[in-house]
Amino acid sequence: LKLQFLYFIERGERGGETMGGFAKMMLMMTMALMLVLLWGAISSNRSQEDHIRTIEKEKEQETVVFGDHLRNLEKRIEILDKEVLKERRLAEAHQQVIRELQDENKHRPPPPLPPPPPPPPVDPVNKVPVPTVLTPEGYSLYVPPPEWGGVRALKREAAKKEALITKQVAEASEKRLAMQPQTPWTPLGSIGVILNAYGDEKYVKDALAVARNLQAVMPMIKSITIWAHSANKPFLDEIAQEKPYIKPRYYEDVSIPYVVPKCPKFQAPPPMFLAKIVALTHSPYDTTIVMDNDINICNDFQHLYPTPQRNYDVASAVAPFARWGGSKSDPYANSTLPDDPGTRQAFFQFQERNVGIMILRTKKPVVKQLIRDWLDIYVKDVGDLFNCKKYFHEQPAFREALFKLKGQISERLLPLDKVCREGDAIIGCQLKGVYHRRVRHGSLPC
């Protein structure tokens, strides 16, 4: 191009000034384009050199980091080797001690055999061994094992003996309770009964059977509250229209606390016992009679109500031997009491109560506190699987709550010849507990 432009310049000089000016302009443009291309080439070369230097620095940094990581791994391997060697030496030392002890035992004479246990007592009727337990009061009690069929397998002589011992235990507890301070007398106010029909319609029918039995024996009771699930609402509401003394309530209208899954079952699921306590916190009566669905009333028991001469806040029957399970006399069967010898000894002598039939002055603050404590303790028991496996029904929690308030609450023990469980008819009970199936089939004991 330069040669061509020089040629044009030469021609311009020969041909005239106009052509020479054009050639000079083209030469200047060509030189400017060459300068631009040269600058671009130089800049591109510098950028490549900078990129190469950046890559080399990154490689150097990665090499340093990898070296540090490798050194850390070598240190950890060294530490692990030392620990493995230490454990191996300890295992060898342990094996050496075991070998030495085995060598010593080879030369020792064998220990003497323990004396044979005394033979168990024998039931003179059934000719089989009879297990016995020792109560806190020192009485030896005949307790049939479950495979014999429970209390129903007792003969008349054994039932008389057990009834006598139970009466002695109740009298001893009554003497201790007689020494407690009596609360000021207040009128009974409204009196009503609370029944729980936890489940389907057949449990509602059980509760209605108890209500009919109660009305037949004690027609002066004008209000019986039956708690049930809302699925039974049409059936129960229809019955309540026919029988005005029936007052329906439903569990879905109140809040029932949580029960841990897989909690064991004792005659009924733990949520049923929990619902029973929650229902009691909503009692509308001044004096509340609590009954289970396996209760049968044989005679009027108004003489068991509180009186100015025999005032109390809570009335229940003892269940000292817990033949149906329960906490028995275990001093550790609690979840909130302090762990000291004095408290354990006092709790050991405090028998479990039969909460299947109770009379409560539910409007008194101390009784409200008792029910709240009962609910809180039972929620703690069934809200934890470890506790739930030991105390999965409501009587141990009631025992603990009543024990905590024993200096503030006035209690009366209901006579055991008036309140008793199935199998105790021999002592002439007026209030007998029966199984659910007996209530359904109409086979009542009196």
Side-chain angles (χ1 to χ4, degrees), residues 279-341:
L280 191 55
T281 63
H282 295 273
S283 173
Y285 311 116
D286 297 314
T287 302
T288 303
I289 302 171
V290 183
M291 287 187 177
D292 285 349
N293 281 5
D294 55 359
I295 292 294
N296 181 58
I297 313 299
C298 297
N299 299 99
D300 188 346
F301 57 88
Q302 288 188 87
H303 60 283
L304 300 178
Y305 287 175
T307 63
Q309 295 76 26
R310 185 65 172 174
N311 189 23
Y312 61 83
D313 301 317
V314 178
S316 60
V318 294
F321 309 122
R323 81 171 69 124
W324 306 104
S327 57
K328 296 184 173 63
S329 298
D330 183 8
Y332 295 96
N334 65 84
S335 54
T336 61
L337 298 179
D339 186 15
D340 62 80

Side-chain angles (χ1 to χ4, degrees), residues 51 94 96 104 111 129 141 186 203 220-221 255 264 291 307 412:
H51 182 65
H94 181 67
Q96 180 64 27
E104 292 179 2
L141 175 66
T186 56
Y203 295 100
M220 70 290 300
I221 294 181
S255 176
M291 287 187 177
T307 63
R412 179 185 179 184

Side-chain angles (χ1 to χ4, degrees), residues 255 257 273-275 277-278 281 369-382 397 401:
S255 176
F273 297 123
L274 194 58
I277 306 173
V278 171
T281 63
Q369 182 64 42
L370 170 67
I371 300 172
R372 283 195 299 268
D373 291 349
W374 184 15
L375 178 61
D376 292 343
I377 294 171
Y378 191 61
V379 167
K380 185 175 182 180
D381 290 344
V382 298

Side-chain angles (χ1 to χ4, degrees), residues 258-270:
Y258 168 80
V259 175
V260 67
K262 299 183 180 180
C263 192
K265 175 182 177 181
F266 176 80
Q267 294 183 350

Side-chain angles (χ1 to χ4, degrees), residues 152 422 434-445:
R152 286 172 290 178
E422 188 218 0
V434 295
Y435 285 116
H436 287 285
R437 60 177 179 270
R438 292 199 172 187
V439 174
R440 286 189 202 121
H441 296 169
S443 177
L444 301 177

Side-chain angles (χ1 to χ4, degrees), residues 102-128:
Q102 290 176 347
D103 294 339
E104 292 179 2
N105 291 333
K106 289 181 181 178
H107 305 288
R108 289 182 180 178
L113 296 175
V122 177
D123 183 3
V125 179
N126 299 320
K127 305 300 182 183
V128 291

Side-chain angles (χ1 to χ4, degrees), residues 131-176:
T132 59
V133 296
L134 194 65
T135 68
E137 285 73 15
Y139 303 114
S140 179
L141 175 66
Y142 176 98
V143 179
E147 57 267 19
W148 291 7
V151 180
R152 286 172 290 178
L154 289 177
K155 299 298 181 180
R156 181 174 295 274
E157 292 78 8
K160 286 183 179 179
K161 180 180 178 181
E162 182 180 350
L164 177 62
I165 295 172
T166 305
K167 183 177 180 181
Q168 291 172 341
V169 173
E171 289 175 352
S173 300
E174 187 76 13
K175 289 180 181 179
R176 289 196 297 268

